[in-house]
Amino acid sequence: MYKARAWLSRSFTALSSNPLRVCVVGSGPAGFYTAEKTLKAHQEAQVDIIDRLPTPFGLVRSEKLQQIVINQFSRVVQHERCSFFGNVTLGSSVSLSELRQLYHVVVLAYGAESDRALGIPGEDLIGVHSAREFVWWYNGHPDGKNLSPDLKSTDTAVILGQGNVALDVARILLRPTEELATTDIASYAWTALEGSSIRKVYLVGRRGPVQAACTAKELREILGIKNLYVHIREDDLIKSPTDEEEMKNSRIQRRVYELLSKAAASASSQPMLGQRELHFVFFRKPDSFLESNERSGHVSGVHFEKTALKGGGPGKQYAVGTGEFEDLDCGMVLKSIGYKSVPVNGLPFDNHKGIVPNIRGRVLKNISGDSSQVENGLYVCGWLKRGPTGIIATNLYCAEETVGSISEDLEQGVLASSSGLPKPGREGLLQLLDNRNVRPVPFSAWEKIDSEEKRLGSLRNKPKEKLTTYEDLLKVAT
């Protein structure tokens, strides 16, 4: 783990009139941890965090934990050497090349805002959505309001994937709406869920219960929904010797398997009348989406191929098709198969891996992996660096590594030619945005948004009533 060294303060003592100017693109956990580590490691650094949304914190704003993390990040941005500017989009408000001219160091931490495609027939049918879109919709993300999923025309939803996002989506579909009413769920989403006809949710994974990608915490939460019938096939719970080895090596996998086994053992043989149902289905991969005969262009089911595990040992098992198929009827499909980062002009991008090619956070000039071909002063952190994996805390270690690389480059003089001359930094950025009539939203304006959302929420016995359009957010921020 990287630790600040004495030379860090010496490096810029002589540059107090020319501080290290750092711009972090993205205000989710990766961005804030990067800013925090940079401020601690470099006593003269000025750090600006920009985000395309008017609101900071990324998906943390949309999750449960989360007040602890938000409080921590708020302290970071309120540091005298740190600023936040929302409503600033990389690519349109300001280009990457312009940021690199304005700052000594640019760290890209804007995450993954698109979705992996399955590439199978019927993926464009009405009723097939990504889980990311659905999460944005019910969380009041300004880009998710117009999704309008049809929750009335079917009683069955299939979710492809068994990670935490998949479980979150299933929980929203199955949890009693009287409980959701006192959360910060978007009001339009609560209204739609109140009228939902969905009573059965299938969580489908390619591999087995030992390989389920969720955490025990998220699994306990969905299994704890009151009056919920849970079904897991007994055959799916049979473990191979390799599975046993995997469980020995992973406390998380062991705990998840134990929770699934306990749920299967305690479940009744049939659901009671009116009871909502959660079905865990393992060893299935989607082959195609089926089109409805009654409603042209709409999904009516998923054609699955049964799978078996192959591979060279614990942690390396993968699913292969067996040539046996079965159909599962449904009127809505949510794909939770992974997020995908979006490239920007001037940035090398590995489309296969969905990441920016890098070595310990240093951006490479191309995807060859040649460590000698480095884009000096340009770094990555978070999902853009490693792919869409891990939990919030994973970004802490990821940020430490990237900031460690920045510090090493400063010590070795790699950035000396850049840092030897003054850079416009914050002042230059604000001038450029003003010239383009882009109105950045500082943290003080976000605090106005936060206060207004809490005020509106108090009228409805909710923690918040989120503002869900750019127009409303910017109006309050003024």
Side-chain angles (χ1 to χ4, degrees), residues 207-228:
R207 297 186 293 171
V210 172
Q211 293 80 32
C214 60
T215 60
K217 177 178 177 294
E218 296 291 338
L219 182 56
R220 267 195 303 268
E221 192 163 331
I222 193 166
L223 293 176
I225 292 175
K226 65 181 182 183
N227 195 31
L228 179 68

Side-chain angles (χ1 to χ4, degrees), residues 64 131 134-135 138 151 157-176 180 193 196 198-204 218-219 221-223 225 228 276-280 332 334-336:
K64 300 176 286 297
F134 192 74
V135 169
Y138 70 70
L151 304 178
V158 167
I159 300 171
L160 302 177
Q162 295 173 332
N164 284 344
V165 174
L167 265 62
D168 268 346
V169 167
R171 180 177 51 82
I172 290 293
L173 289 171
L174 292 169
R175 191 175 171 189
L180 290 174
L193 288 162
S196 172
I198 292 176
R199 295 295 178 268
K200 297 179 187 178
V201 173
Y202 290 82
L203 279 163
V204 185
E218 296 291 338
L219 182 56
E221 192 163 331
I222 193 166
L223 293 176
I225 292 175
L228 179 68
R276 296 192 180 193
E277 304 174 27
L278 174 62
H279 298 256
F280 286 89
M332 185 169 80
L334 295 169
K335 301 176 296 175
S336 184

Side-chain angles (χ1 to χ4, degrees), residues 240-255:
S240 70
T242 309
D243 288 336
E244 296 279 8
E245 282 298 313
E246 278 194 37
M247 289 173 61
K248 283 182 185 177
N249 297 332
S250 171
R251 186 181 63 83
I252 294 174
Q253 286 176 273
R254 187 165 63 249
R255 190 73 190 105

Side-chain angles (χ1 to χ4, degrees), residues 268-420:
S268 56
S269 58
Q270 294 291 329
M272 295 182 292
L273 185 66
Q275 195 174 22
R276 296 192 180 193
E277 304 174 27
L278 174 62
H279 298 256
F280 286 89
V281 180
F282 299 97
F283 304 109
R284 302 290 187 277
K285 68 174 182 176
D287 182 73
S288 64
F289 298 105
L290 306 175
E291 184 176 357
S292 170
N293 292 324
E294 290 78 31
R295 304 174 72 207
S296 178
H298 288 72
V299 70
S300 66
V302 186
H303 186 55
F304 285 104
E305 183 176 11
K306 296 181 180 180
T307 65
L309 293 183
K310 294 283 180 71
K316 297 180 181 179
Q317 296 187 94
Y318 57 91
V320 295
T322 64
E324 294 182 71
F325 296 86
E326 66 181 15
D327 294 344
L328 185 55
D329 294 338
C330 64
M332 185 169 80
V333 178
L334 295 169
K335 301 176 296 175
S336 184
I337 57 168
Y339 291 67
K340 184 176 72 174
S341 293
V342 181
V344 298
N345 287 337
L347 184 67
F349 195 78
D350 187 329
N351 284 293
H352 177 68
K353 295 180 179 177
I355 62 170
V356 172
N358 72 92
I359 293 184
R360 295 176 59 85
R362 297 177 179 92
V363 173
L364 301 178
K365 292 180 182 292
N366 53 57
I367 63 173
S368 67
D370 183 353
S371 60
S372 67
Q373 300 292 308
V374 173
E375 291 278 0
N376 290 338
L378 186 59
Y379 303 84
V380 284
C381 187
W383 284 1
L384 199 58
K385 172 184 171 183
R386 67 180 190 273
T389 60
I391 57 176
I392 286 177
T394 309
N395 293 290
L396 173 62
Y397 305 112
C398 189
E400 284 182 335
E401 181 181 69
T402 294
V403 175
S405 292
I406 294 169
S407 302
E408 289 169 7
D409 291 348
L410 284 164
E411 183 184 28
Q412 294 167 10
V414 175
L415 299 177
S417 60
S418 299
S419 59

